[in-house]
Amino acid sequence: MRIAALGALGAVGAALSYFAAGPARFWVNWIVWMLFLASVGLGALFLVGLEHLFIARWSVPLRRTAERVSGLVVPAGVAAVAALGSLRVLYPWTRPEAAAKAVLAAKSAWLNVPFFCARTLLCAGIWAFSYRFFLGGSLSQDASKDPAMNLRARRFAPVFMSLFAVTVTITAFDWISSLQPEWYSDIFGVYLFAGVFLSGLAGTAAAVLHLSGRGRLPGVRGDHLYNLGALIFAFTVFWSYIAFAQYMLIWYGNLPEEIVWYKSRVEGRWLPVILFLALLRFAVPFAALAARDAKKDGRRLLWVAWLVLFSHWLDLYWLVYPELGIGPRFSWPEFSFALMFVCAGLAWMRRQLTLGEDMPTGDPFLKEGLEFRL
Amino acid sequence: MTEPSAARAWAVIGLFERPEDLLRAAARLRGSPLGRVQAYTPYPVHHLDEALGLRRSPLGGMVFVMGVLGALTAFAFQYWMSAVDYPIVTGGKSPRSWQAFVPITFEVMVLFATLTAGLGMLFLLNRLPDIFHPMLASRAMEKITRDRFALALESSGGQGVDVDAAKKVILELGAQEVEVLPLPAPAPAAPLNFLLGLGGALVAACVLAGYSTYWVIKLYPELPPMSHMERQPRLNAQSPSGFFKDGRGMRPAPVGSVARGHRPYLIKTPEEAARLVNPLPRTTETMEKGRVLYAVYCRVCHGFLGDGRTTLTSAYGAKPADLRIKRLALAPDGTIYHAIMVGKNAMPSYAYELKEDERWAVIHYLRALQRAQDARESDIP
């Protein structure tokens, strides 16, 4: 009830900002949050896909939670379709002047409105379908106990992995890179993937700890948490590696068409933001999770998970917001958007957490998963 | 009459069939007053460390400390080289560009950390130079390295283990077989010879590898993977090139253009140049300047002492002159100036690298080199 009220308040503020602060600011915030929801959902979906791909046993007790979190791809897909309204406001390649620029004219086979819309619909469709496929099979197994469901999911997993790689790359290039369409970075899809998997892990970890704190995941022990923590730790380093690799190559080459992107992101008032991001997203989680026992410690893992989620939002903000050209700002429009999307996400998660049993009780590997020891 | 003391042994070993049996037995035997409890398994058994109550390995902490140390070392080293000792602007970047130091810092951190992990495990924790362990003398060892799990009560402090009591306890815990290793502790056969041989072989291998690398590089300075950037698409001075229409690699200056500060050098022969006079006073500053410039521009070819002992490989193909020879020692400054300006055979001109007063400073220093190696008694103060 309180969530609904706060969310409605946020929605009113967000709607007002369209008129008071201008459509550009409205859509920039919208895209940041749309990408945020998509990231958490997709990351969790990736975790589910990984389990099936590698026939992992340890994560079976946590799989239902990951499946539920991955449901965020549904509202994210809806938000992405709605965000198509931003194309003419934010994206320079939609403007008539773009045809005059040789670089943009050459890219127009990819960057044109009908194809962009088709890609967005396709991505949203693929996410929703994959989510339904994994979750549906898993839910039906609760009652039927039919091991054939595992085989079905296992066969789909490699297909899903390929689709996942392509759609995440498309999302990164379309929604973020093409805000500055002359700029390019080959690794940018991987950069977004690092953030996606991290935030998916963090979302799953937060949900797991929420449920197990209420005794809903009996048998989930420090050993399981350790693996979640280790993955968060590993991908913290992975993100930092990719982020720095991209930055260093562009900084070294110092080519005009590449460096502009960083010039508007690491100079002036954005410098403190990126330093803060490096601290929150690399230094703190690294230090917090480096020790062996730290990864088993639920309390610590919980705050690290929330920190990772927040820093992913900050990352997206840092990627998208500079295109407005007004420097880093966080005032009532941003606050309203945060309120609206966080409340919507939490409300959706509350619904998701009632889907099926808390653990995949029909999965023949559940017992083995619960017995998992490091 | 003294009571016959109970039989004592260095170790009493029990063999188990399954790792679970071992875990259970180890947990029960832990802290036994009979002796030190040790387990031997064909592969790492999870949670055995807990069952035995082992303390946490210090390796993690060591690796962490050494990793941090490696990162700091690499960063400080690069900073000192690039920004303090010999600052060079490359690619328009400040010599203090920390970004460029990160990859090497990262790699050295990993290097320090992994070496610490590997060597620390082998030498500190596994006591490596010591390759013998009394257990190796037991019959049980053969089975342990195959498919059995052993739990042993070992003598601590040399008093030995009470055989009867230990046997009883271990059998009660469900061991299938029991073996007794008698006192005194079995000793290694001849580890010293082995170690000496091993060390000698290592040293020999290092020497061999070092020398063969040295000679291969000396004899084949341009082995294909290491062509030393010889072959790359570029324009070479004084060489033809198909890139331009006139077929020449070097571009003639636009007609009538004169470089800033350029003074035409109209002298054609060394004889003509002999009349030039060194305008610089022979001061300490000039000498110092000449020394630095000689080191930068001339030393690679003419050697530290000007004796023509080049540091270039044979790929250079020419023999730089020994600058101490009589002809050059007696030649007027102008002759040497001429060599710098127009070069000679395999020696290119250094007219563009050195400004006029810099050329004369190098000549002062060259004179000092010549004189220093042909000193007279009267030079001694």
Side-chain angles (χ1 to χ4, degrees):
Chain A
M1 211 39 237
R2 254 181 315 162
I3 286 188
L6 283 176
L9 192 69
V12 171
L16 274 180
S17 77
Y18 187 89
F19 302 102
R25 191 142 167 207
F26 175 88
W27 283 121
V28 158
N29 277 302
W30 183 279
I31 288 172
V32 167
W33 280 102
M34 175 272 280
L35 290 171
F36 180 78
L37 289 188
S39 301
V40 182
L42 275 175
L45 199 57
F46 184 72
L47 191 61
V48 175
L50 269 186
E51 179 184 315
H52 292 304
L53 190 66
F54 291 105
I55 319 183
R57 308 283 160 80
W58 71 270
S59 58
V60 176
L62 313 180
R63 199 185 70 224
R64 180 56 47 77
T65 316
E67 285 163 352
R68 289 161 164 180
V69 175
S70 70
L72 284 171
V73 296
V74 175
V78 175
V81 173
L84 290 173
S86 71
L87 290 189
R88 302 222 174 262
V89 182
L90 286 183
Y91 291 82
W93 48 268
T94 58
R95 302 193 190 118
E97 311 92 85
K101 286 192 186 169
V103 179
L104 296 193
K107 291 188 181 180
S108 63
W110 181 266
L111 289 181
N112 61 68
V113 174
F115 192 25
F116 190 104
C117 296
R119 287 198 300 271
T120 303
L121 286 172
L122 190 72
C123 288
I126 287 175
W127 300 341
F129 171 79
S130 310
Y131 157 66
R132 282 307 314 174
F133 187 94
F134 285 131
L135 180 80
S138 180
L139 285 181
S140 77
Q141 203 182 37
D142 280 358
S144 71
K145 320 268 180 216
D146 180 5
M149 288 303 154
N150 293 58
L151 295 180
R152 241 165 50 104
R154 239 173 250 177
R155 271 198 297 275
F156 180 57
V159 182
F160 164 73
M161 283 299 168
S162 325
L163 293 174
F164 173 85
V166 173
T167 52
V168 167
T169 312
I170 288 182
T171 307
F173 286 173
D174 278 1
W175 287 106
I176 309 178
S177 283
S178 87
L179 283 166
Q180 196 162 316
E182 289 99 340
W183 181 72
Y184 60 88
S185 165
D186 297 349
I187 210 172
F188 196 65
V190 180
Y191 179 90
L192 185 69
F193 159 72
V196 162
F197 191 35
L198 252 186
S199 50
L201 284 169
T204 307
V208 162
L209 290 164
H210 170 85
L211 289 181
S212 70
R214 279 158 190 71
R216 281 169 67 177
L217 296 176
V220 169
R221 282 166 292 106
D223 305 64
H224 300 96
L225 295 185
Y226 179 92
N227 271 7
L228 272 184
L231 279 171
I232 293 182
F233 184 70
F235 276 81
T236 294
V237 178
F238 181 74
W239 175 85
S240 320
Y241 191 101
I242 298 296
F244 185 78
Q246 171 178 283
Y247 168 68
M248 196 186 79
L249 288 188
I250 292 181
W251 167 84
Y252 238 134
N254 209 12
L255 301 176
E257 65 270 28
E258 291 180 355
I259 199 75
V260 277
W261 194 80
Y262 274 109
K263 275 208 102 66
S264 54
R265 278 171 182 78
V266 300
E267 288 189 353
R269 286 192 289 146
W270 285 101
L271 182 63
V273 177
I274 181 66
L275 291 180
F276 189 52
L277 184 61
L279 184 76
L280 283 194
R281 198 155 206 199
F282 172 64
V284 175
F286 186 89
L289 293 183
R292 184 170 82 178
D293 292 338
K295 302 183 188 79
K296 295 182 185 166
D297 177 357
R299 294 232 318 268
R300 178 177 297 215
L301 203 56
L302 187 63
W303 71 253
V304 172
W306 284 111
L307 178 76
V308 168
L309 286 173
F310 172 73
S311 60
H312 185 57
W313 172 83
L314 188 65
D315 187 14
L316 292 168
Y317 175 78
W318 174 79
L319 290 172
V320 174
Y321 210 80
E323 291 310 321
L324 271 188
I326 57 172
R329 282 220 209 153
F330 197 91
S331 113
W332 65 270
E334 286 71 37
F335 186 71
S336 306
F337 267 94
L339 210 57
M340 174 167 88
F341 274 91
V342 169
C343 289
L346 287 179
W348 185 260
M349 277 316 299
R350 178 178 282 181
R351 188 196 94 100
Q352 292 292 100
L353 289 186
T354 61
L355 289 176
E357 303 282 339
D358 287 327
M359 285 194 242
T361 45
D363 192 311
F365 296 117
L366 179 63
K367 184 168 168 293
E368 223 176 304
L370 285 171
E371 281 168 1
F372 164 74
R373 292 196 177 266
L374 282 172
Chain B
M1 268 309 278
T2 51
E3 208 178 317
S5 69
R8 303 193 82 83
W10 185 80
V12 177
I13 309 159
L15 285 181
F16 297 81
E17 212 156 65
R18 297 179 310 154
E20 298 87 63
D21 303 338
L22 177 78
L23 279 175
R24 208 171 314 118
R28 295 252 303 279
L29 204 56
R30 181 172 157 181
S32 160
L34 290 170
R36 189 159 35 122
V37 184
Q38 289 277 38
Y40 300 88
T41 61
Y43 57 80
V45 172
H46 287 300
H47 297 276
L48 187 56
D49 46 348
E50 283 161 32
L52 287 172
L54 297 183
R55 63 191 165 78
R56 179 76 79 73
S57 157
L59 208 53
M62 282 159 35
V63 167
F64 180 78
V65 171
M66 288 305 283
V68 172
L69 215 64
L72 289 179
T73 309
F75 195 89
F77 193 47
Q78 291 176 86
Y79 188 87
W80 175 76
M81 286 194 303
S82 322
V84 181
D85 186 45
Y86 205 121
I88 294 186
V89 173
T90 29
K93 306 277 189 271
S94 149
R96 260 178 227 90
S97 300
W98 62 269
Q99 292 96 329
F101 307 153
V102 171
I104 291 173
T105 304
F106 177 78
E107 298 302 340
V108 174
M109 175 190 80
V110 172
L111 182 73
F112 272 47
T114 43
L115 284 183
T116 308
L119 299 181
M121 178 189 81
L122 292 174
F123 285 89
L124 289 177
L125 303 180
N126 299 353
R127 309 191 198 128
L128 187 59
D130 199 356
I131 50 164
F132 185 80
H133 189 282
M135 270 299 281
L136 291 176
S138 71
R139 274 174 294 112
M141 208 57 201
E142 196 177 316
K143 293 177 178 164
I144 295 168
T145 50
R146 212 180 298 136
D147 59 357
R148 288 299 138 96
F149 302 82
L151 202 59
L153 277 168
E154 292 174 5
S155 134
S156 54
Q159 302 131 352
V161 181
D162 180 335
V163 175
D164 293 333
K167 252 187 173 171
K168 186 158 163 275
V169 173
I170 287 184
L171 281 173
E172 266 171 13
L173 288 171
Q176 260 99 16
E177 298 168 43
V178 175
E179 184 184 340
V180 176
L181 266 189
L183 270 176
L192 197 66
N193 288 349
F194 175 79
L195 279 180
L196 284 179
L198 189 73
L202 272 177
V203 170
C206 291
V207 170
L208 191 71
Y211 266 98
S212 44
T213 314
Y214 175 80
W215 279 109
V216 166
I217 293 178
K218 199 79 184 164
L219 292 177
Y220 308 100
E222 290 182 54
L223 232 45
M226 301 166 281
S227 59
H228 300 292
M229 296 195 189
E230 268 281 301
R231 273 167 276 288
Q232 44 176 301
R234 65 175 178 207
L235 295 172
N236 286 326
Q238 317 286 6
S239 314
S241 158
F243 189 75
F244 294 106
K245 261 205 214 93
D246 61 3
R248 291 161 34 153
M250 286 173 88
R251 298 290 78 212
V255 181
S257 58
V258 177
R260 228 173 251 257
H262 175 73
R263 291 236 242 120
Y265 185 70
L266 301 173
I267 295 172
K268 292 274 176 317
T269 63
E271 291 73 38
E272 233 184 297
R275 65 181 160 79
L276 295 175
V277 181
N278 196 337
L280 293 189
R282 207 176 305 153
T283 60
T284 318
E285 288 96 79
T286 320
M287 280 295 173
E288 179 57 21
K289 191 166 148 192
R291 188 184 67 80
V292 171
L293 291 166
Y294 179 87
V296 172
Y297 292 107
C298 319
R299 189 166 82 191
V300 272
C301 291
H302 290 287
F304 282 81
L305 303 176
D307 51 6
R309 298 240 305 250
T310 172
T311 44
L312 296 178
T313 65
S314 57
Y316 174 54
K319 175 128 190 33
D322 179 349
L323 301 176
R324 304 167 309 173
I325 57 172
K326 194 135 195 180
R327 177 173 64 79
L328 292 174
L330 296 179
D333 284 359
T335 313
I336 296 177
Y337 188 83
H338 191 72
I340 298 179
M341 288 302 287
V342 302
K344 186 175 180 196
N345 299 333
M347 168 171 165
S349 155
Y350 280 85
Y352 288 99
E353 281 80 357
L354 296 166
K355 294 203 213 67
E356 182 168 1
D357 59 327
E358 293 177 334
R359 295 171 208 140
W360 291 119
V362 169
I363 292 171
H364 271 321
Y365 179 69
L366 227 170
R367 292 292 183 213
L369 274 184
Q370 289 171 334
R371 187 70 192 279
Q373 292 165 84
D374 185 23
R376 268 152 273 166
E377 223 166 302
S378 57
D379 289 336
I380 301 171

